[in-house]
Amino acid sequence: MELHWIFSFFLLASSLYGHVSGKECTNVPTQLSSHTVRSQLMSTTNQTWKAEMLSYYHLNPTDESAWMDLRPRKLRNKEAPVEEFDWLLLYRSMKGSGGVNMRHQAGNFLDEVSLHDVRLDPDSMYGRAKQTNLEYLLLLDVDRLVWNFRHQAGLPAPGEPYGGWEGPNVEVRGHFVGHYMSASAQMWASTHNQTLYEKMSSLVDALYDCQKKVGTGYLSAFPPEFFDRFEAIQSVWAPYYTIHKIMAGLLDQYVLAGNVKALQMVVGMADYFGNRVKNVILKYSIERHWTSLNEETGGMNDVLYRLYSITNDPKHMVLAHLFDKPCFLGLLAVQADSLSGFHSNTHIPVVIGAQMRYEITGDPLYKEIGAFFMDIVNSSHSYATGGTSVSEFWSDPKRLAETLSTENEESCTTYNMLKVSRNLFRWTKEMAYADYYERALMNGVLSIQRGREPGVMIYMLPQGPGQSKARSYHGWGTKFDSFWCCYGTGIESFSKLGDSIYFEEKGTAPSLYIIQYISSSFNWRSAGVALSQKIKSVSSFDPYLQISIRILSNQSTSQSSTLNLRMPSWTSLDGANVTLNDQNLPLPSPGNFLCVARNWTSNETLTLVLPLKLRTEPIKDDRPEYGSLQALLFGPYLLAGLTSGEWDIKTGNSSSISDWITAVPASYNGQLVSLVQEANGKTLVFSNSNGSITMEEWPAEGTNSAVHATFRVIFQDSNRLHYFLATKKTKPATAQNDAILEPFDLPGMVVAHRGPSNGLAVSTAATADSMFSVVQGLDGRQDTVSLESSNQRGCFVSGGVDYSAGTKVRLICSSNSDVAFRRAVSFTPVSGLKQYNPISFVAKGAKQNFVLEPLLSLRDETYTVYFNVGA
């Protein structure tokens, strides 16, 4: 009667029928099927084979018999009046079979450190991302968040509901509120922001009133009728998915913020849904319950295992087991890569729940499931960002080249894969999991915010050539009318950026693992030590990750302890250096930890200098015709090319990547200019429009238009641009003032005239026609300049006299006494609307060069992340 027996049956089911087409384990339970594995086994005429299979998998003729023993005894034996569904009996049977052990007996796990003890540097890119998220959490109104809950409970609901997926007619309404409770608890632990604490406490209080009004333990923004449909295998949008988010949010409010009321609410919800699951099993069968799990149920198993770890209530353990999806976990148990065709974010949380099962029970099968799952996703189904999925599903393994599109890498999947890798690292200390975490966090999570705009995030992270974050199916979301699933996971991701920098191994001599190099501080209480980690800004022209870790020791409480410093797999020993108080330390090979053990004294300093190398990484596709399709990385940073039509990189005969990708010097930002004209209430800017130069409206920051309105001014005298921008003064046309204009996104190309009265255009090579003298603006203003042709003296670049967007910029020759002419040829130079990221390179394209910068820094710009690299 043990659950292992039932799991074994479904393991067999998965191994026999685990193909994409025709598999019983599906993404939606559209109907009940009589074509079960059990019926296949029972109907076969090969009795020898059937007996062998049943014996091997320890099966009985019916897969329901063990669970049916849990029905009320009066239904089995009219003389026995006991009507209880015996949760305790099942729990004891599992415990007796070795399926349940005390927590942490499974292994020597690294401990998570408390978010209360970690603080991010507000000036770091991680600190800025966290602050942007905090601003969004504070923007949201409690009455609007709980409107649907109050309406469902029959309570007065002031204000109006939010839109998007939190709209009053959307079936997953309430899911974001669950995420908000988790994110606000994580953010409060990370900041102790009092305003946020009051807001999240008010939200929990409002939900408590809703649950109390209903009186059954039920708490949701939609009616219980949704679960009637779920249990009847009728169409409904993932009600347990939403319930998981609410329960997890309440549990986080208890664990991180100490809200005891929130724990009581979770227990009430578990009782309510435990009764519903029990009734399905009693009324129908356990098979019917398993079938219903083909609808997305989020991480119900995970949150229930977490709840059991707090309450030790066996009912919570058994209910968690009942949400382990055996047909899917069975595939992983037999190490079959049958992920293709599965909805990714339905199933990753099931694996996270299985990992929690391992931590709770010590059953090594579930550790192996997590490790195998991570291995096949990372080796066969992931992109260079660390993300996975196309249009929310897994494609065929090692066939990713044809999946590149606008709909790659649902953000939720990255959020959940980080949890999988984090668990595996805590169990094993294997560097591969720490490397993956860094990659996915940096490139997959930091990439989904739109700069410093609170509440603007994306659903998908496009990987296709010439795509943009703004042009996926969903595009950028909005503050109050999106609330997609990826908004929920997004606000959590940016609230807990500090949760995986440090891990602790407690003991008589504490040990700390530093696996992410992120500017932060940590109060290491068990060692009596405070650490401050500072990362120098990374740049392409100074290719080193430079880390300084300052140790402040409380002499009265400090003790011998060990710091374990990650040597990332992407670095090299060539140029690497580590010192303790200016004394060199021996270095391990990349992919290992540098261990420094001592009784720390105050003001000791560890410094690490780790070389950042450019490298290529092939796409996960084993077909020879895609062998040249490569991503480009600089250390952990995935580089994106600012190009919409050039994704062929010309390497020639060179085997050195530095021959075809070169760093952009820091001085180049000082050469970037945008040329502006203002008149009639309009602000227009000199722009490259598909090879022609036109005057266009002032662009929004982070757009292609901002890129196209930025030019690098290259003077024959390199000091001239600084002089012009600083003083707004010029001299008459001389060779000293001669310069060329290079479009920001087309390095090596230039702007050239095509004779008087003709439009300017982008040319592939510098000639006399591309040289202009930068002189004082002919309009007589001190802050303007004019561009005079160096080979057509008296002819000037003109934005036109009508000041309308789309006007072609021409070379015009006219009398300086013409006022309209003098105004048309005068421009105000401003700092370039697009700036080079400190990590910027120029790549040699087959047709044209292009700029590379980190994917995480881009907003609406068009980019490419996979290139055809070759001769």
Side-chain angles (χ1 to χ4, degrees), residues 70 121 166-167 177-178 184 186 212 232 285 306 340 453 479 580-581 683 688 701 709 719 724 738 744 832 837 849 870:
L70 298 174
D121 180 347
E166 285 296 311
V177 177
S184 59
Q186 294 158 351
K212 184 178 179 180
S285 66
R306 288 179 60 203
S340 53
E453 298 179 52
K479 293 179 177 68
L580 173 60
N581 303 327
T683 301
N688 172 22
E701 188 177 359
N719 295 318
F724 288 134
D738 284 353
F744 180 92
N837 188 278
N849 298 339

Side-chain angles (χ1 to χ4, degrees), residues 746-768:
L746 297 172
M749 292 192 175
V750 294
V751 175
H753 71 76
R754 293 178 290 185
S757 301
N758 291 319
L760 272 64
V762 176
S763 174
T764 57
T767 65

Side-chain angles (χ1 to χ4, degrees), residues 180-230:
Y180 184 91
M181 287 190 287
S182 290
S184 59
Q186 294 158 351
M187 182 65 79
W188 177 74
S190 300
T191 63
H192 286 190
N193 183 284
Q194 184 62 25
T195 303
L196 182 63
Y197 181 83
E198 293 169 1
K199 185 181 287 282
M200 71 187 192
S201 298
S202 175
L203 190 149
V204 172
D205 288 343
L207 295 181
Y208 176 83
D209 292 341
C210 293
Q211 189 182 46
K212 184 178 179 180
K213 176 67 165 59
V214 173
T216 62
Y218 183 77
L219 175 63
S220 183
F222 49 74
E225 179 268 336
F226 282 25
F227 290 95
D228 296 340
R229 289 156 55 190
F230 176 88

Side-chain angles (χ1 to χ4, degrees), residues 530-548:
L531 286 80
S532 177
Q533 182 183 172
K534 189 72 175 178
I535 313 302
K536 183 180 177 182
S537 295
V538 174
S539 64
S540 51
F541 47 85
D542 184 20
Y544 296 92
L545 181 65
Q546 300 180 56
I547 307 123
S548 174

Side-chain angles (χ1 to χ4, degrees), residues 853-868:
E853 65 177 74
L855 177 63
L856 64 88
S857 69
L858 299 179
R859 282 172 271 186
D860 298 354
E861 300 96 333
T862 297
Y863 64 82
T864 296
V865 293
Y866 282 99
F867 304 90
N868 288 312

